[in-house]
Amino acid sequence: MKFTIDKIEASKVLGIVKSAISPRPSHPILTCLLVEANEKDQQVTFTGSDLSLFAVIKAEASVSKSGRVAVPANLLFSIVAKQPEGDIKIECSADSHKISILGTGRYDITGLDPSDYPLIPSVPSQYVELDPYQLKSGIETTEKFTSTDNTKQVLTGVRISSHLGKLEFAATDGHRLAMENVDSDCLNFGGVTVPRSGLSLVKKILSDDSVKLFYDEDQISFVTNEASVTVRALTGAYPQYRSLIPAFSTIETVWNTKQFLAAVERVSILSPELVVTLALYGHCVVISSNVQEIGNAQEKIKLMHPIKLENESIQVAFKATYLIEALKTIDALEFKLLLNLPTTPVLLKPLGMRDQTFLIMPINIVK
């Protein structure tokens, strides 16, 4: 195998593909990338995998001899990344699997037999076509709201489905919910639940090309012209999250996003796992926290539009990180905060072009 590839392109591709490799691989071959050079197509294909996740990217190269080899991923990436801009030559002996990287000098490393590399699963037949910008938007809105509890596997992913003529992205960990709806032709897409780890890789392969999402009960593949990410589907019934959203809200207020976020972050500085309380009055909100044996903090923000309340005020408490992460995901200048009772879900709705919804379950404070 012999090929020449641009250093910047090689570094970019290797950086993406190696992120599919487990930090604790179960077998030596899984520390490697599969490198395949094709003289006919003048392309090199790089593959990384942890057995449940496969990332495949093609890159243009000047290929003088076809071949394939499994190369230690971190070592190859480090050598290439440290080279100056320009072309890098890579050669491999088919008999010994010794790889030579020729840049500012010569770097010889020992590879493994490519026939031992795990086979890439075949792509399912069903697919829907997605706009790359809408796909990225939906992922970025929802990925942080998935569960980190592996005992609830289905909640560790993002649900992608069609709903009321839109493509809907949703994620919940049981305490909060994030949703975004985007325009789409996928009117009859029943939906899939994609692991968060797979979506992190999908974002990295997106370009201006449309994306085909191939799916069945066991597997999901995101495919562009030059790259693909294949991941095992999360099985099991996803929660009926739409039923959590209140049909109406008795209280509706409008806030400046940056101002509200900054106030919550300052008040929560006493403790990273803090509970913050919003005391809503007719003309303002008081954001406060109280940590026993440490102290308390309080900030007041005037309402942009005064409201009428049945009582003097209404108080609702949240885990600070949940509120902060929702506010940080909003890129609109203003948002609506909608609520009913201190014990019912609270909605955050950005006043912008994107159709986003954030729901946070309040915490019951025992006085």
Side-chain angles (χ1 to χ4, degrees), residues 189-217:
F189 179 36
V192 293
T193 306
V194 189
R196 178 175 174 174
S197 58
L199 291 174
S200 297
L201 258 175
V202 169
K203 284 196 303 180
K204 295 178 181 179
I205 70 167
L206 295 179
S207 61
D208 294 335
D209 302 330
S210 63
V211 183
K212 289 182 177 178
L213 190 166
F214 293 85
Y215 63 99
D216 59 23
E217 291 182 356

Side-chain angles (χ1 to χ4, degrees), residues 162-167 182-187:
S162 60
H163 180 64
L164 300 178
K166 301 266 189 176
L167 187 66
V182 300
D183 292 329
S184 174
D185 296 328
C186 311
L187 301 181

Side-chain angles (χ1 to χ4, degrees), residues 48-251:
S49 175
D50 66 358
L51 294 182
S52 65
L53 176 66
F54 287 81
V56 181
I57 302 181
K58 297 178 181 178
E60 292 186 1
S62 177
V63 182
S64 56
K65 185 176 180 181
S66 298
R68 58 202 299 263
V69 66
V71 189
N74 289 328
L75 193 54
L76 177 61
F77 173 76
S78 297
I79 292 171
V80 170
K82 293 293 185 181
Q83 297 299 305
E85 292 185 14
D87 287 342
I88 296 174
K89 294 182 180 180
I90 296 180
E91 302 174 352
C92 177
S93 166
D95 296 332
S96 64
H97 308 306
K98 182 176 120 177
I99 304 102
S100 298
I101 302 146
L102 309 175
T104 55
R106 182 186 183 97
Y107 302 83
D108 295 327
I109 56 178
T110 301
L112 297 178
D113 188 343
S115 63
D116 292 333
Y117 206 80
L119 295 176
I120 301 171
S122 57
V123 174
S125 58
Q126 299 182 90
Y127 77 90
V128 293
E129 198 156 345
L130 308 176
D131 177 274
Y133 301 102
Q134 292 179 336
L135 176 57
K136 184 179 180 181
S137 178
I139 293 172
E140 290 181 341
T141 292
T142 55
E143 62 180 341
K144 294 188 293 292
F145 297 82
T146 57
S147 176
T148 56
D149 184 355
N150 288 325
T151 63
K152 302 175 182 177
Q153 274 287 314
V154 75
L155 297 186
T156 62
V158 171
R159 183 70 179 174
I160 306 176
S161 60
S162 60
H163 180 64
L164 300 178
K166 301 266 189 176
L167 187 66
E168 185 171 85
F169 297 79
T172 180
D173 61 5
H175 304 286
R176 55 191 175 151
L177 166 70
M179 292 172 49
E180 180 165 4
N181 290 282
V182 300
D183 292 329
S184 174
D185 296 328
C186 311
L187 301 181
N188 297 310
F189 179 36
V192 293
T193 306
V194 189
R196 178 175 174 174
S197 58
L199 291 174
S200 297
L201 258 175
V202 169
K203 284 196 303 180
K204 295 178 181 179
I205 70 167
L206 295 179
S207 61
D208 294 335
D209 302 330
S210 63
V211 183
K212 289 182 177 178
L213 190 166
F214 293 85
Y215 63 99
D216 59 23
E217 291 182 356
D218 302 316
Q219 184 178 300
I220 305 161
S221 296
F222 294 85
V223 180
T224 70
N225 289 339
E226 302 297 335
S228 69
V229 171
T230 299
V231 62
R232 290 178 185 169
L234 293 175
T235 58
Y238 201 79
Q240 298 296 315
Y241 54 87
R242 296 188 195 100
S243 64
L244 298 174
I245 300 174
F248 65 91
S249 300
T250 56
I251 300 172

